[in-house]
């Protein structure tokens, strides 16, 4: 046992393994604790639109809600344009006050309703927060309805004051909520798919890149740097096609929700898997095996900043800005659109292509620079021998 332990501890790979396990703990702890710090304090960044079609009480209620609720409240004139913004995730909820709201809330036998529109093609936390907000808004509207003279309306109908007070109080509990959800997510297993796809894809890409780097070092003596670069790029493309095909097929076979069809899912997953491969290997081209440390950091940062778990609107400005330059952000956004419904993935695909091109260009630059350093070192050695 003692001799075996000594043999293991003398190997550099043993220490690399131990240090890697330690770095995972340090990196994930620092990034996740700082990334999710203060999330619940930023609900005021969530945007809710109020659309009123009621010419009476609705306008005043909408104005009071905009002033009084702890969210980024805005008033919009068109319900259809608000729905478009909701579908594009520019809004987190719509509060619609229908045209007959004042009439219904003033009637003794009437029951008014507030209509809430929620896009479920979002992190699960959005639906939870917006459901709580809807209850708060309905309670606020009930209170406003009483304060804006329902009792006087009833009194005008020659109802005794005592009965008017009692009736107005009962009316304050008769404004109800109606929810209309779009892009409905069918179960928690489907809700977690975008995060699972990003996590599995990037971890697979970085481990594959590490092994390709080791293979590249092993054949460096017999194959030129540019032929190795071309071979690795070709392997990346073929591997991405196969990996995405297997991933998309398994998702469908296991009952996954795919609103936009298999081919679009496969094509988009192919694109972001390939992007992950180029990005993760970029660090290896530049720094060698030490680049794996940056890949661990990037994995952790992307899980936080991509919006796969917590909405990006609730993150700090630093992590929100950082996420705009990372591929997982666009992978999560596009995957949600394909799986659950939403706008076109064209913009997300364009950003992934741009990031891929930048990563390939930096990698090619690293190959060229390293080749120059090798030639200079060989020349110095040759001069010393002379």
């Amino acid at each position: 046992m003692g001799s075996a332990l000594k043999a293991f501890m003398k190997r550099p790979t043993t220490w690399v393994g131990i240090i890697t396990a330690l770095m995972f703990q340090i990196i994930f702890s620092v990034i996740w604790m700082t990334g999710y710090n203060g999330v619940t304090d930023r609900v005021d960044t969530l945007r809710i639109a109020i659309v009123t079609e009621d010419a009476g009480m609705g306008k005043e209620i909408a104005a009071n809600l905009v002033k009084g609720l702890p969210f980024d409240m805005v008033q919009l004139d068109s319900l259809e344009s608000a729905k478009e913004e909701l579908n594009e995730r520019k809004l987190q909820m719509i509060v619609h006050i229908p045209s007959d709201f004042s009439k219904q809330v003033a009637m003794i036998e009437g029951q008014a309703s507030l209509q809430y529109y929620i896009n479920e093609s979002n992190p699960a936390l959005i639906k939870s927060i917006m459901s709580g907000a809807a209850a708060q808004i309905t309670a606020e509207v009930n209170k406003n309805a009483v304060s804006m003279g329902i009792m006087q309306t009833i009194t005008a109908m020659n109802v005794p004051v005592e009965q008017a007070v009692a009736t107005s109080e009962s009316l304050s509990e008769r404004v109800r909520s109606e929810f209309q959800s779009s892009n409905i997510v069918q179960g928690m297993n489907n809700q977690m798919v975008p995060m699972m796809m990003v996590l599995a894809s990037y971890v697979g890409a970085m481990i594959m890149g590490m092994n390709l780097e080791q293979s590249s070092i092993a054949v460096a003596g017999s194959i030129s740097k540019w032929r190795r670069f071309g071979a690795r790029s070709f392997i990346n493309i073929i591997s991405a096609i196969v990996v995405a095909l297997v991933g998309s097929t398994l998702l469908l076979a296991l009952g996954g929700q795919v609103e936009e069809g298999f081919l679009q899912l496969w094509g988009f997953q192919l694109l972001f898997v390939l992007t992950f491969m180029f990005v993760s290997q970029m660090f290896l081209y530049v720094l060698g095996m030490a680049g794996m440390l940056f890949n661990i950091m990037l994995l952790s940062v992307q899980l936080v900043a991509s919006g796969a778990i917590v909405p990006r609107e609730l993150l700090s400005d630093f992590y929100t800005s950082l996420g705009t330059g990372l591929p997982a952000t666009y992978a999560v956004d596009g995957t949600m659109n394909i799986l659950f419904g939403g706008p076109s993935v064209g913009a997300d695909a364009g950003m992934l292509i741009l990031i891929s091109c930048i990563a390939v260009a930096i990698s090619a630059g690293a190959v060229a620079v390293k080749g120059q350093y090798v030639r200079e070192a060989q020349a110095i050695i040759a001069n010393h021998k002379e």
Side-chain angles (χ1 to χ4, degrees):
M1 177 67 179
S3 59
L5 179 61
K6 289 180 180 179
F8 268 92
M9 299 310 293
K10 288 179 180 179
R11 302 295 301 175
T13 50
T14 301
W15 288 102
V16 170
I18 295 172
I19 293 172
T20 299
L22 179 63
M23 292 308 300
F24 263 99
Q25 294 295 320
I26 295 172
I27 290 170
F28 270 74
S29 296
V30 171
I31 292 176
W32 283 49
M33 291 302 290
T34 57
Y36 292 138
N37 183 43
V39 162
T40 54
D41 299 329
R42 300 189 190 98
V43 293
D44 58 345
T45 61
L46 297 179
R47 199 160 183 255
I48 299 176
I50 299 178
V51 179
T52 178
E53 296 178 347
D54 181 69
M57 295 170 58
K59 291 187 179 297
E60 190 170 349
I61 288 173
N64 289 338
L65 290 177
V66 169
K67 294 177 182 177
L69 291 175
F71 299 95
D72 181 11
M73 306 292 294
V74 295
Q75 280 189 260
L76 299 178
D77 296 328
S78 169
L79 181 60
E80 291 305 314
S81 64
K83 286 182 179 179
E84 290 179 7
E85 290 193 36
L86 183 70
N87 192 54
E88 295 171 356
R89 303 188 187 91
K90 296 177 181 177
L91 295 173
Q92 278 67 59
M93 186 167 69
I94 302 170
V95 182
H96 178 227
I97 304 175
S99 58
D100 63 346
F101 182 86
S102 295
K103 178 181 177 181
Q104 291 295 329
V105 82
M107 293 174 61
I108 296 178
E109 300 296 329
Q111 189 175 50
S113 65
L114 288 175
Q115 298 171 353
Y116 298 95
Y117 294 82
I118 298 175
N119 179 11
E120 292 192 15
S121 182
N122 273 297
L125 189 58
I126 287 288
K127 183 178 180 180
S128 176
I129 294 175
M130 290 301 106
S131 297
Q136 182 181 356
I137 291 171
T138 300
E140 186 72 18
V141 169
N142 277 317
K143 183 173 67 175
N144 289 343
V146 174
S147 66
M148 282 188 289
I150 295 179
M151 189 181 74
Q152 286 81 355
T153 302
I154 300 171
T155 304
M157 299 168 62
N158 296 321
V159 176
V161 174
E162 294 78 6
Q163 185 179 349
V165 172
T167 304
S168 67
E169 290 176 353
S170 68
L171 280 173
S172 70
E173 300 301 326
R174 291 172 61 187
V175 176
R176 60 189 176 89
S177 304
E178 290 184 1
F179 288 92
Q180 299 190 32
S181 296
S182 60
N183 302 325
I184 296 174
V185 180
Q186 300 168 7
M188 192 64 182
N189 56 334
N190 285 300
Q191 184 76 64
M192 300 304 294
V193 167
M195 185 196 73
M196 177 274 292
M197 294 180 75
V198 167
L199 178 62
S201 298
Y202 198 83
V203 171
M206 59 187 268
I207 293 176
M208 173 183 161
M210 179 182 67
N211 285 278
L212 284 178
E213 178 69 13
Q214 292 174 334
S215 297
S216 180
I217 294 171
V219 301
S222 57
I223 301 176
S224 69
K225 61 180 182 180
W226 291 115
R227 289 178 61 192
R228 282 183 283 131
F229 180 78
R232 287 175 67 166
S233 300
F234 181 77
I235 291 171
N236 286 340
I237 294 171
I238 299 301
S239 298
I241 293 172
V242 175
V243 169
L245 177 61
V246 172
S248 300
T249 302
L250 283 174
L251 182 60
L252 280 179
L254 294 172
Q257 177 183 352
V258 183
E259 293 295 328
E260 300 299 329
F262 173 77
L263 288 179
Q264 191 166 347
L265 174 63
W266 179 23
F268 190 74
Q269 187 177 5
L270 162 61
L271 179 57
F272 72 73
V273 168
L274 185 61
T275 304
F276 288 168
M277 289 178 177
F278 285 140
V279 169
S280 61
Q281 291 180 42
M282 174 186 70
F283 294 108
L284 296 171
Y285 277 115
V286 174
L287 301 171
M289 294 303 293
M292 287 301 295
L293 177 62
F294 285 87
N295 276 325
I296 296 172
M297 293 174 61
L298 198 61
L299 170 64
S300 182
V301 168
Q302 288 189 115
L303 288 175
V304 171
S306 65
I309 304 173
V310 172
R312 298 183 69 237
E313 292 82 2
L314 297 180
L315 300 176
S316 65
D317 292 339
F318 172 77
Y319 281 97
T320 302
S321 300
L322 190 60
T324 58
L326 300 177
T329 300
Y330 307 102
V332 167
D333 193 61
T335 300
M336 284 184 177
N337 293 337
I338 293 171
L339 296 180
F340 313 134
S344 169
V345 299
D348 297 311
M351 287 302 299
L352 288 171
I353 292 171
L354 175 62
I355 293 171
S356 293
C357 292
I358 293 172
V360 171
I362 293 174
S363 299
V367 171
V369 170
K370 283 186 176 180
Q372 180 64 31
Y373 285 156
V374 169
R375 286 193 296 271
E376 290 177 358
Q378 290 173 342
I380 292 171
I381 292 172
N383 290 333
H384 278 296
K385 286 182 178 179
E386 293 176 358

